[in-house]
Amino acid sequence: MKSLLPAAIVSCMLLLINSSQANAQRFFEFGGGFSPWSESHVAGATTEKTPFHAYVEYGNFLQHYSISARYDFSSQYQLENYELNPWFFGLFLNRKLLSFGSYRYEVEVIGGAGLLLEQHRFLDRGNNQVPGYELEEERASGPGFAGRFGAKLLVGKFVGSLFLEMFRSQQDFTAGQFEQQTFQTGSNRLTLSIGYRLNRENNEVTCPTYF
């Protein structure tokens, strides 16, 4: 099932980009935000620094899909004397499940899935049981998966969003031992963003045409 997920996401993205009818109603959105709540998948780890992110998104008003790219940084988690600093680049396929509002505002309920390329910095702040290992640093990188569900509020060209997100990944670190251990390095997050949407003036209801 996991092997089919990347192909399905890429296929939907290509279909969205190549649709000529959709291109007539396309929009572009960019913004950034932070995660007021973040929980590492590493058992026992605590959150030390708030994650921040920046994103760009492309979509259209005739289809319910959009694609977005995101850069996430500034995360830090603490496990005993160990410090984990992950950051990642993500590519997401988003699906608008429901929308409602008026000419002044619109609310969109959205679900999505994505692929991640993660970088991790694992720092030992000091381990008295392993002399000479103090302040050792390890780095690792690899792919991951993501799922998200939330809502956007559009007022004019401004967009505010709230999402509950889950990032899944794993990396191998020595972490003061004699051989590498596998850590679940993903996280769960509540993410707030503010953005700006271009070409929203093309969003209009049109009558169907029959041939």
Side-chain angles (χ1 to χ4, degrees), residues 29-66:
E29 182 180 317
F30 60 92
F34 69 102
S35 299
W37 174 76
S38 177
E39 178 184 61
S40 174
H41 290 172
V42 177
T46 59
T47 303
E48 297 295 317
K49 288 187 179 180
T50 300
F52 287 85
H53 68 271
Y55 76 92
V56 294
E57 183 174 352
Y58 168 85
N60 67 79
F61 301 110
L62 297 182
Q63 295 182 334
H64 295 292
Y65 291 94
S66 68

PDB file of all heavy atoms in Angstrom, residues 29-66:
ATOM      1  N   GLU A  29      -1.192  30.505  -4.048  1.00  0.00           N
ATOM      2  CA  GLU A  29      -1.247  30.953  -2.655  1.00  0.00           C
ATOM      3  C   GLU A  29       0.113  30.759  -1.998  1.00  0.00           C
ATOM      4  O   GLU A  29       0.808  29.775  -2.264  1.00  0.00           O
ATOM      5  CB  GLU A  29      -2.312  30.135  -1.916  1.00  0.00           C
ATOM      6  CG  GLU A  29      -2.523  30.516  -0.460  1.00  0.00           C
ATOM      7  CD  GLU A  29      -3.600  29.639   0.188  1.00  0.00           C
ATOM      8  OE1 GLU A  29      -4.642  29.413  -0.467  1.00  0.00           O
ATOM      9  OE2 GLU A  29      -3.386  29.164   1.313  1.00  0.00           O
ATOM     10  N   PHE A  30       0.496  31.701  -1.154  1.00  0.00           N
ATOM     11  CA  PHE A  30       1.750  31.563  -0.421  1.00  0.00           C
ATOM     12  C   PHE A  30       1.577  32.130   0.982  1.00  0.00           C
ATOM     13  O   PHE A  30       0.734  32.997   1.225  1.00  0.00           O
ATOM     14  CB  PHE A  30       2.899  32.270  -1.152  1.00  0.00           C
ATOM     15  CG  PHE A  30       2.688  33.744  -1.353  1.00  0.00           C
ATOM     16  CD1 PHE A  30       3.147  34.674  -0.434  1.00  0.00           C
ATOM     17  CD2 PHE A  30       2.015  34.206  -2.480  1.00  0.00           C
ATOM     18  CE1 PHE A  30       2.950  36.025  -0.617  1.00  0.00           C
ATOM     19  CE2 PHE A  30       1.813  35.561  -2.679  1.00  0.00           C
ATOM     20  CZ  PHE A  30       2.285  36.479  -1.739  1.00  0.00           C
ATOM     21  N   GLY A  31       2.368  31.614   1.913  1.00  0.00           N
ATOM     22  CA  GLY A  31       2.253  32.079   3.297  1.00  0.00           C
ATOM     23  C   GLY A  31       3.183  31.320   4.214  1.00  0.00           C
ATOM     24  O   GLY A  31       4.131  30.658   3.790  1.00  0.00           O
ATOM     25  N   GLY A  32       2.910  31.404   5.497  1.00  0.00           N
ATOM     26  CA  GLY A  32       3.738  30.744   6.499  1.00  0.00           C
ATOM     27  C   GLY A  32       3.019  30.693   7.830  1.00  0.00           C
ATOM     28  O   GLY A  32       1.927  31.241   7.992  1.00  0.00           O
ATOM     29  N   GLY A  33       3.649  30.027   8.795  1.00  0.00           N
ATOM     30  CA  GLY A  33       3.028  29.911  10.100  1.00  0.00           C
ATOM     31  C   GLY A  33       3.871  29.121  11.070  1.00  0.00           C
ATOM     32  O   GLY A  33       5.081  28.942  10.874  1.00  0.00           O
ATOM     33  N   PHE A  34       3.227  28.588  12.112  1.00  0.00           N
ATOM     34  CA  PHE A  34       3.933  27.864  13.156  1.00  0.00           C
ATOM     35  C   PHE A  34       3.002  26.822  13.768  1.00  0.00           C
ATOM     36  O   PHE A  34       1.806  26.773  13.462  1.00  0.00           O
ATOM     37  CB  PHE A  34       4.425  28.828  14.235  1.00  0.00           C
ATOM     38  CG  PHE A  34       3.331  29.449  15.051  1.00  0.00           C
ATOM     39  CD1 PHE A  34       3.040  28.991  16.331  1.00  0.00           C
ATOM     40  CD2 PHE A  34       2.566  30.500  14.542  1.00  0.00           C
ATOM     41  CE1 PHE A  34       2.019  29.559  17.082  1.00  0.00           C
ATOM     42  CE2 PHE A  34       1.550  31.076  15.287  1.00  0.00           C
ATOM     43  CZ  PHE A  34       1.273  30.601  16.567  1.00  0.00           C
ATOM     44  N   SER A  35       3.558  25.981  14.627  1.00  0.00           N
ATOM     45  CA  SER A  35       2.792  24.919  15.294  1.00  0.00           C
ATOM     46  C   SER A  35       2.777  25.180  16.797  1.00  0.00           C
ATOM     47  O   SER A  35       3.770  24.904  17.484  1.00  0.00           O
ATOM     48  CB  SER A  35       3.418  23.545  15.010  1.00  0.00           C
ATOM     49  OG  SER A  35       3.422  23.269  13.627  1.00  0.00           O
ATOM     50  N   PRO A  36       1.676  25.711  17.339  1.00  0.00           N
ATOM     51  CA  PRO A  36       1.605  25.970  18.777  1.00  0.00           C
ATOM     52  C   PRO A  36       1.639  24.696  19.617  1.00  0.00           C
ATOM     53  O   PRO A  36       1.970  24.744  20.801  1.00  0.00           O
ATOM     54  CB  PRO A  36       0.276  26.708  18.941  1.00  0.00           C
ATOM     55  CG  PRO A  36      -0.543  26.306  17.754  1.00  0.00           C
ATOM     56  CD  PRO A  36       0.444  26.110  16.638  1.00  0.00           C
ATOM     57  N   TRP A  37       1.280  23.559  19.010  1.00  0.00           N
ATOM     58  CA  TRP A  37       1.385  22.266  19.682  1.00  0.00           C
ATOM     59  C   TRP A  37       2.105  21.291  18.766  1.00  0.00           C
ATOM     60  O   TRP A  37       1.782  21.157  17.588  1.00  0.00           O
ATOM     61  CB  TRP A  37       0.001  21.708  20.020  1.00  0.00           C
ATOM     62  CG  TRP A  37       0.050  20.317  20.588  1.00  0.00           C
ATOM     63  CD1 TRP A  37       0.405  19.935  21.848  1.00  0.00           C
ATOM     64  CD2 TRP A  37      -0.244  19.100  19.874  1.00  0.00           C
ATOM     65  NE1 TRP A  37       0.345  18.558  21.974  1.00  0.00           N
ATOM     66  CE2 TRP A  37      -0.056  18.019  20.783  1.00  0.00           C
ATOM     67  CE3 TRP A  37      -0.656  18.823  18.576  1.00  0.00           C
ATOM     68  CZ2 TRP A  37      -0.266  16.696  20.418  1.00  0.00           C
ATOM     69  CZ3 TRP A  37      -0.861  17.495  18.208  1.00  0.00           C
ATOM     70  CH2 TRP A  37      -0.672  16.452  19.132  1.00  0.00           C
ATOM     71  N   SER A  38       3.125  20.634  19.297  1.00  0.00           N
ATOM     72  CA  SER A  38       3.910  19.669  18.541  1.00  0.00           C
ATOM     73  C   SER A  38       4.353  18.551  19.471  1.00  0.00           C
ATOM     74  O   SER A  38       4.851  18.820  20.572  1.00  0.00           O
ATOM     75  CB  SER A  38       5.127  20.353  17.900  1.00  0.00           C
ATOM     76  OG  SER A  38       5.937  19.422  17.228  1.00  0.00           O
ATOM     77  N   GLU A  39       4.205  17.299  19.027  1.00  0.00           N
ATOM     78  CA  GLU A  39       4.553  16.141  19.839  1.00  0.00           C
ATOM     79  C   GLU A  39       5.382  15.170  19.005  1.00  0.00           C
ATOM     80  O   GLU A  39       4.936  14.682  17.964  1.00  0.00           O
ATOM     81  CB  GLU A  39       3.280  15.449  20.330  1.00  0.00           C
ATOM     82  CG  GLU A  39       3.520  14.196  21.144  1.00  0.00           C
ATOM     83  CD  GLU A  39       2.220  13.510  21.519  1.00  0.00           C
ATOM     84  OE1 GLU A  39       1.490  13.100  20.578  1.00  0.00           O
ATOM     85  OE2 GLU A  39       1.927  13.398  22.718  1.00  0.00           O
ATOM     86  N   SER A  40       6.604  14.892  19.458  1.00  0.00           N
ATOM     87  CA  SER A  40       7.486  13.979  18.740  1.00  0.00           C
ATOM     88  C   SER A  40       7.012  12.542  18.905  1.00  0.00           C
ATOM     89  O   SER A  40       6.450  12.154  19.932  1.00  0.00           O
ATOM     90  CB  SER A  40       8.915  14.120  19.255  1.00  0.00           C
ATOM     91  OG  SER A  40       9.763  13.148  18.664  1.00  0.00           O
ATOM     92  N   HIS A  41       7.278  11.706  17.884  1.00  0.00           N
ATOM     93  CA  HIS A  41       6.987  10.284  17.963  1.00  0.00           C
ATOM     94  C   HIS A  41       8.056   9.517  18.738  1.00  0.00           C
ATOM     95  O   HIS A  41       7.892   8.319  18.987  1.00  0.00           O
ATOM     96  CB  HIS A  41       6.838   9.689  16.559  1.00  0.00           C
ATOM     97  CG  HIS A  41       5.603  10.148  15.859  1.00  0.00           C
ATOM     98  ND1 HIS A  41       5.343   9.859  14.530  1.00  0.00           N
ATOM     99  CD2 HIS A  41       4.547  10.882  16.289  1.00  0.00           C
ATOM    100  CE1 HIS A  41       4.182  10.389  14.174  1.00  0.00           C
ATOM    101  NE2 HIS A  41       3.689  11.020  15.222  1.00  0.00           N
ATOM    102  N   VAL A  42       9.150  10.181  19.086  1.00  0.00           N
ATOM    103  CA  VAL A  42      10.163   9.556  19.938  1.00  0.00           C
ATOM    104  C   VAL A  42       9.592   9.462  21.352  1.00  0.00           C
ATOM    105  O   VAL A  42       9.261  10.476  21.969  1.00  0.00           O
ATOM    106  CB  VAL A  42      11.468  10.366  19.940  1.00  0.00           C
ATOM    107  CG1 VAL A  42      12.494   9.729  20.891  1.00  0.00           C
ATOM    108  CG2 VAL A  42      12.046  10.450  18.529  1.00  0.00           C
ATOM    109  N   ALA A  43       9.450   8.255  21.869  1.00  0.00           N
ATOM    110  CA  ALA A  43       8.826   8.050  23.176  1.00  0.00           C
ATOM    111  C   ALA A  43       9.586   8.792  24.265  1.00  0.00           C
ATOM    112  O   ALA A  43      10.805   8.659  24.384  1.00  0.00           O
ATOM    113  CB  ALA A  43       8.770   6.555  23.497  1.00  0.00           C
ATOM    114  N   GLY A  44       8.869   9.594  25.047  1.00  0.00           N
ATOM    115  CA  GLY A  44       9.470  10.307  26.157  1.00  0.00           C
ATOM    116  C   GLY A  44      10.078  11.648  25.812  1.00  0.00           C
ATOM    117  O   GLY A  44      10.535  12.371  26.703  1.00  0.00           O
ATOM    118  N   ALA A  45      10.096  12.018  24.536  1.00  0.00           N
ATOM    119  CA  ALA A  45      10.696  13.289  24.129  1.00  0.00           C
ATOM    120  C   ALA A  45       9.759  14.458  24.435  1.00  0.00           C
ATOM    121  O   ALA A  45       8.538  14.324  24.367  1.00  0.00           O
ATOM    122  CB  ALA A  45      11.031  13.268  22.638  1.00  0.00           C
ATOM    123  N   THR A  46      10.331  15.601  24.761  1.00  0.00           N
ATOM    124  CA  THR A  46       9.568  16.821  25.017  1.00  0.00           C
ATOM    125  C   THR A  46       9.902  17.868  23.962  1.00  0.00           C
ATOM    126  O   THR A  46      11.004  17.875  23.402  1.00  0.00           O
ATOM    127  CB  THR A  46       9.881  17.386  26.411  1.00  0.00           C
ATOM    128  OG1 THR A  46      11.287  17.659  26.509  1.00  0.00           O
ATOM    129  CG2 THR A  46       9.485  16.390  27.493  1.00  0.00           C
ATOM    130  N   THR A  47       8.962  18.749  23.690  1.00  0.00           N
ATOM    131  CA  THR A  47       9.154  19.800  22.696  1.00  0.00           C
ATOM    132  C   THR A  47       9.875  20.986  23.320  1.00  0.00           C
ATOM    133  O   THR A  47       9.430  21.538  24.325  1.00  0.00           O
ATOM    134  CB  THR A  47       7.802  20.260  22.129  1.00  0.00           C
ATOM    135  OG1 THR A  47       7.124  19.129  21.577  1.00  0.00           O
ATOM    136  CG2 THR A  47       7.999  21.316  21.049  1.00  0.00           C
ATOM    137  N   GLU A  48      11.006  21.387  22.720  1.00  0.00           N
ATOM    138  CA  GLU A  48      11.813  22.490  23.234  1.00  0.00           C
ATOM    139  C   GLU A  48      11.685  23.757  22.400  1.00  0.00           C
ATOM    140  O   GLU A  48      11.812  24.858  22.923  1.00  0.00           O
ATOM    141  CB  GLU A  48      13.292  22.075  23.301  1.00  0.00           C
ATOM    142  CG  GLU A  48      13.574  20.929  24.261  1.00  0.00           C
ATOM    143  CD  GLU A  48      13.288  21.299  25.702  1.00  0.00           C
ATOM    144  OE1 GLU A  48      13.654  22.425  26.116  1.00  0.00           O
ATOM    145  OE2 GLU A  48      12.680  20.471  26.419  1.00  0.00           O
ATOM    146  N   LYS A  49      11.442  23.618  21.100  1.00  0.00           N
ATOM    147  CA  LYS A  49      11.318  24.784  20.221  1.00  0.00           C
ATOM    148  C   LYS A  49      10.110  24.606  19.305  1.00  0.00           C
ATOM    149  O   LYS A  49       9.794  23.504  18.866  1.00  0.00           O
ATOM    150  CB  LYS A  49      12.577  24.984  19.375  1.00  0.00           C
ATOM    151  CG  LYS A  49      13.773  25.497  20.152  1.00  0.00           C
ATOM    152  CD  LYS A  49      14.932  25.823  19.216  1.00  0.00           C
ATOM    153  CE  LYS A  49      16.124  26.368  19.963  1.00  0.00           C
ATOM    154  NZ  LYS A  49      17.254  26.682  19.041  1.00  0.00           N
ATOM    155  N   THR A  50       9.450  25.720  19.004  1.00  0.00           N
ATOM    156  CA  THR A  50       8.260  25.718  18.152  1.00  0.00           C
ATOM    157  C   THR A  50       8.638  25.551  16.685  1.00  0.00           C
ATOM    158  O   THR A  50       9.504  26.279  16.185  1.00  0.00           O
ATOM    159  CB  THR A  50       7.493  27.032  18.333  1.00  0.00           C
ATOM    160  OG1 THR A  50       7.096  27.162  19.696  1.00  0.00           O
ATOM    161  CG2 THR A  50       6.264  27.068  17.436  1.00  0.00           C
ATOM    162  N   PRO A  51       8.019  24.630  15.960  1.00  0.00           N
ATOM    163  CA  PRO A  51       8.265  24.498  14.524  1.00  0.00           C
ATOM    164  C   PRO A  51       7.629  25.663  13.742  1.00  0.00           C
ATOM    165  O   PRO A  51       6.513  26.083  14.037  1.00  0.00           O
ATOM    166  CB  PRO A  51       7.584  23.175  14.166  1.00  0.00           C
ATOM    167  CG  PRO A  51       7.347  22.480  15.470  1.00  0.00           C
ATOM    168  CD  PRO A  51       7.160  23.564  16.481  1.00  0.00           C
ATOM    169  N   PHE A  52       8.339  26.151  12.747  1.00  0.00           N
ATOM    170  CA  PHE A  52       7.846  27.162  11.819  1.00  0.00           C
ATOM    171  C   PHE A  52       7.883  26.598  10.402  1.00  0.00           C
ATOM    172  O   PHE A  52       8.604  25.644  10.119  1.00  0.00           O
ATOM    173  CB  PHE A  52       8.683  28.434  11.897  1.00  0.00           C
ATOM    174  CG  PHE A  52       8.455  29.239  13.151  1.00  0.00           C
ATOM    175  CD1 PHE A  52       9.157  28.938  14.317  1.00  0.00           C
ATOM    176  CD2 PHE A  52       7.542  30.281  13.172  1.00  0.00           C
ATOM    177  CE1 PHE A  52       8.952  29.671  15.475  1.00  0.00           C
ATOM    178  CE2 PHE A  52       7.327  31.018  14.329  1.00  0.00           C
ATOM    179  CZ  PHE A  52       8.033  30.709  15.486  1.00  0.00           C
ATOM    180  N   HIS A  53       7.113  27.221   9.511  1.00  0.00           N
ATOM    181  CA  HIS A  53       7.091  26.741   8.139  1.00  0.00           C
ATOM    182  C   HIS A  53       6.728  27.860   7.165  1.00  0.00           C
ATOM    183  O   HIS A  53       6.157  28.879   7.547  1.00  0.00           O
ATOM    184  CB  HIS A  53       6.086  25.587   7.974  1.00  0.00           C
ATOM    185  CG  HIS A  53       4.657  26.021   8.130  1.00  0.00           C
ATOM    186  ND1 HIS A  53       4.012  26.048   9.338  1.00  0.00           N
ATOM    187  CD2 HIS A  53       3.743  26.461   7.221  1.00  0.00           C
ATOM    188  CE1 HIS A  53       2.783  26.480   9.176  1.00  0.00           C
ATOM    189  NE2 HIS A  53       2.592  26.734   7.891  1.00  0.00           N
ATOM    190  N   ALA A  54       7.069  27.636   5.892  1.00  0.00           N
ATOM    191  CA  ALA A  54       6.654  28.491   4.780  1.00  0.00           C
ATOM    192  C   ALA A  54       6.115  27.584   3.684  1.00  0.00           C
ATOM    193  O   ALA A  54       6.570  26.440   3.532  1.00  0.00           O
ATOM    194  CB  ALA A  54       7.826  29.320   4.263  1.00  0.00           C
ATOM    195  N   TYR A  55       5.128  28.057   2.919  1.00  0.00           N
ATOM    196  CA  TYR A  55       4.518  27.203   1.902  1.00  0.00           C
ATOM    197  C   TYR A  55       4.097  28.000   0.679  1.00  0.00           C
ATOM    198  O   TYR A  55       3.894  29.222   0.734  1.00  0.00           O
ATOM    199  CB  TYR A  55       3.303  26.471   2.475  1.00  0.00           C
ATOM    200  CG  TYR A  55       2.068  27.343   2.631  1.00  0.00           C
ATOM    201  CD1 TYR A  55       1.117  27.425   1.610  1.00  0.00           C
ATOM    202  CD2 TYR A  55       1.857  28.105   3.770  1.00  0.00           C
ATOM    203  CE1 TYR A  55      -0.005  28.229   1.734  1.00  0.00           C
ATOM    204  CE2 TYR A  55       0.742  28.902   3.913  1.00  0.00           C
ATOM    205  CZ  TYR A  55      -0.192  28.962   2.894  1.00  0.00           C
ATOM    206  OH  TYR A  55      -1.295  29.775   3.020  1.00  0.00           O
ATOM    207  N   VAL A  56       3.946  27.285  -0.425  1.00  0.00           N
ATOM    208  CA  VAL A  56       3.318  27.799  -1.648  1.00  0.00           C
ATOM    209  C   VAL A  56       2.320  26.742  -2.101  1.00  0.00           C
ATOM    210  O   VAL A  56       2.528  25.541  -1.890  1.00  0.00           O
ATOM    211  CB  VAL A  56       4.338  28.105  -2.761  1.00  0.00           C
ATOM    212  CG1 VAL A  56       5.242  29.261  -2.359  1.00  0.00           C
ATOM    213  CG2 VAL A  56       5.158  26.868  -3.088  1.00  0.00           C
ATOM    214  N   GLU A  57       1.239  27.186  -2.728  1.00  0.00           N
ATOM    215  CA  GLU A  57       0.190  26.253  -3.145  1.00  0.00           C
ATOM    216  C   GLU A  57      -0.379  26.668  -4.492  1.00  0.00           C
ATOM    217  O   GLU A  57      -0.546  27.858  -4.770  1.00  0.00           O
ATOM    218  CB  GLU A  57      -0.924  26.208  -2.091  1.00  0.00           C
ATOM    219  CG  GLU A  57      -2.035  25.220  -2.396  1.00  0.00           C
ATOM    220  CD  GLU A  57      -3.040  25.103  -1.251  1.00  0.00           C
ATOM    221  OE1 GLU A  57      -2.779  25.676  -0.172  1.00  0.00           O
ATOM    222  OE2 GLU A  57      -4.085  24.441  -1.437  1.00  0.00           O
ATOM    223  N   TYR A  58      -0.670  25.676  -5.322  1.00  0.00           N
ATOM    224  CA  TYR A  58      -1.283  25.898  -6.621  1.00  0.00           C
ATOM    225  C   TYR A  58      -2.559  25.056  -6.706  1.00  0.00           C
ATOM    226  O   TYR A  58      -2.567  23.883  -6.329  1.00  0.00           O
ATOM    227  CB  TYR A  58      -0.335  25.509  -7.748  1.00  0.00           C
ATOM    228  CG  TYR A  58      -0.999  25.434  -9.110  1.00  0.00           C
ATOM    229  CD1 TYR A  58      -1.152  26.587  -9.883  1.00  0.00           C
ATOM    230  CD2 TYR A  58      -1.482  24.228  -9.606  1.00  0.00           C
ATOM    231  CE1 TYR A  58      -1.776  26.516 -11.125  1.00  0.00           C
ATOM    232  CE2 TYR A  58      -2.105  24.158 -10.846  1.00  0.00           C
ATOM    233  CZ  TYR A  58      -2.251  25.306 -11.598  1.00  0.00           C
ATOM    234  OH  TYR A  58      -2.873  25.251 -12.812  1.00  0.00           O
ATOM    235  N   GLY A  59      -3.646  25.662  -7.192  1.00  0.00           N
ATOM    236  CA  GLY A  59      -4.896  24.920  -7.335  1.00  0.00           C
ATOM    237  C   GLY A  59      -5.809  25.607  -8.327  1.00  0.00           C
ATOM    238  O   GLY A  59      -5.395  26.501  -9.071  1.00  0.00           O
ATOM    239  N   ASN A  60      -7.077  25.180  -8.374  1.00  0.00           N
ATOM    240  CA  ASN A  60      -8.053  25.785  -9.268  1.00  0.00           C
ATOM    241  C   ASN A  60      -9.423  25.705  -8.636  1.00  0.00           C
ATOM    242  O   ASN A  60      -9.644  24.985  -7.659  1.00  0.00           O
ATOM    243  CB  ASN A  60      -8.022  25.103 -10.634  1.00  0.00           C
ATOM    244  CG  ASN A  60      -8.500  23.670 -10.542  1.00  0.00           C
ATOM    245  OD1 ASN A  60      -9.699  23.395 -10.487  1.00  0.00           O
ATOM    246  ND2 ASN A  60      -7.556  22.735 -10.491  1.00  0.00           N
ATOM    247  N   PHE A  61     -10.357  26.445  -9.196  1.00  0.00           N
ATOM    248  CA  PHE A  61     -11.690  26.552  -8.625  1.00  0.00           C
ATOM    249  C   PHE A  61     -12.691  25.574  -9.240  1.00  0.00           C
ATOM    250  O   PHE A  61     -13.799  25.450  -8.753  1.00  0.00           O
ATOM    251  CB  PHE A  61     -12.219  27.980  -8.779  1.00  0.00           C
ATOM    252  CG  PHE A  61     -11.348  29.013  -8.112  1.00  0.00           C
ATOM    253  CD1 PHE A  61     -10.607  29.903  -8.859  1.00  0.00           C
ATOM    254  CD2 PHE A  61     -11.269  29.086  -6.732  1.00  0.00           C
ATOM    255  CE1 PHE A  61      -9.802  30.851  -8.241  1.00  0.00           C
ATOM    256  CE2 PHE A  61     -10.462  30.024  -6.106  1.00  0.00           C
ATOM    257  CZ  PHE A  61      -9.733  30.903  -6.864  1.00  0.00           C
ATOM    258  N   LEU A  62     -12.316  24.894 -10.326  1.00  0.00           N
ATOM    259  CA  LEU A  62     -13.216  23.950 -10.966  1.00  0.00           C
ATOM    260  C   LEU A  62     -12.984  22.534 -10.464  1.00  0.00           C
ATOM    261  O   LEU A  62     -13.886  21.709 -10.511  1.00  0.00           O
ATOM    262  CB  LEU A  62     -13.044  23.999 -12.487  1.00  0.00           C
ATOM    263  CG  LEU A  62     -13.398  25.350 -13.134  1.00  0.00           C
ATOM    264  CD1 LEU A  62     -13.233  25.262 -14.639  1.00  0.00           C
ATOM    265  CD2 LEU A  62     -14.826  25.762 -12.779  1.00  0.00           C
ATOM    266  N   GLN A  63     -11.758  22.245 -10.034  1.00  0.00           N
ATOM    267  CA  GLN A  63     -11.448  20.957  -9.440  1.00  0.00           C
ATOM    268  C   GLN A  63     -11.341  21.134  -7.923  1.00  0.00           C
ATOM    269  O   GLN A  63     -11.199  22.237  -7.418  1.00  0.00           O
ATOM    270  CB  GLN A  63     -10.133  20.406  -9.994  1.00  0.00           C
ATOM    271  CG  GLN A  63     -10.198  20.081 -11.483  1.00  0.00           C
ATOM    272  CD  GLN A  63      -8.889  19.498 -11.978  1.00  0.00           C
ATOM    273  OE1 GLN A  63      -7.838  19.744 -11.416  1.00  0.00           O
ATOM    274  NE2 GLN A  63      -8.973  18.722 -13.053  1.00  0.00           N
ATOM    275  N   HIS A  64     -11.365  20.035  -7.195  1.00  0.00           N
ATOM    276  CA  HIS A  64     -11.294  20.097  -5.740  1.00  0.00           C
ATOM    277  C   HIS A  64      -9.886  19.847  -5.208  1.00  0.00           C
ATOM    278  O   HIS A  64      -9.700  19.759  -3.998  1.00  0.00           O
ATOM    279  CB  HIS A  64     -12.259  19.069  -5.131  1.00  0.00           C
ATOM    280  CG  HIS A  64     -13.704  19.354  -5.413  1.00  0.00           C
ATOM    281  ND1 HIS A  64     -14.360  20.449  -4.876  1.00  0.00           N
ATOM    282  CD2 HIS A  64     -14.613  18.703  -6.187  1.00  0.00           C
ATOM    283  CE1 HIS A  64     -15.616  20.455  -5.291  1.00  0.00           C
ATOM    284  NE2 HIS A  64     -15.794  19.416  -6.092  1.00  0.00           N
ATOM    285  N   TYR A  65      -8.903  19.744  -6.097  1.00  0.00           N
ATOM    286  CA  TYR A  65      -7.550  19.403  -5.679  1.00  0.00           C
ATOM    287  C   TYR A  65      -6.606  20.596  -5.785  1.00  0.00           C
ATOM    288  O   TYR A  65      -6.800  21.507  -6.592  1.00  0.00           O
ATOM    289  CB  TYR A  65      -6.991  18.260  -6.534  1.00  0.00           C
ATOM    290  CG  TYR A  65      -7.665  16.935  -6.300  1.00  0.00           C
ATOM    291  CD1 TYR A  65      -8.728  16.535  -7.109  1.00  0.00           C
ATOM    292  CD2 TYR A  65      -7.252  16.092  -5.272  1.00  0.00           C
ATOM    293  CE1 TYR A  65      -9.359  15.317  -6.894  1.00  0.00           C
ATOM    294  CE2 TYR A  65      -7.876  14.873  -5.055  1.00  0.00           C
ATOM    295  CZ  TYR A  65      -8.925  14.494  -5.870  1.00  0.00           C
ATOM    296  OH  TYR A  65      -9.547  13.298  -5.658  1.00  0.00           O
ATOM    297  N   SER A  66      -5.571  20.569  -4.964  1.00  0.00           N
ATOM    298  CA  SER A  66      -4.478  21.525  -5.078  1.00  0.00           C
ATOM    299  C   SER A  66      -3.187  20.822  -4.674  1.00  0.00           C
ATOM    300  O   SER A  66      -3.217  19.771  -4.016  1.00  0.00           O
ATOM    301  CB  SER A  66      -4.710  22.754  -4.180  1.00  0.00           C
ATOM    302  OG  SER A  66      -4.616  22.399  -2.806  1.00  0.00           O
TER     303      SER A  66
END
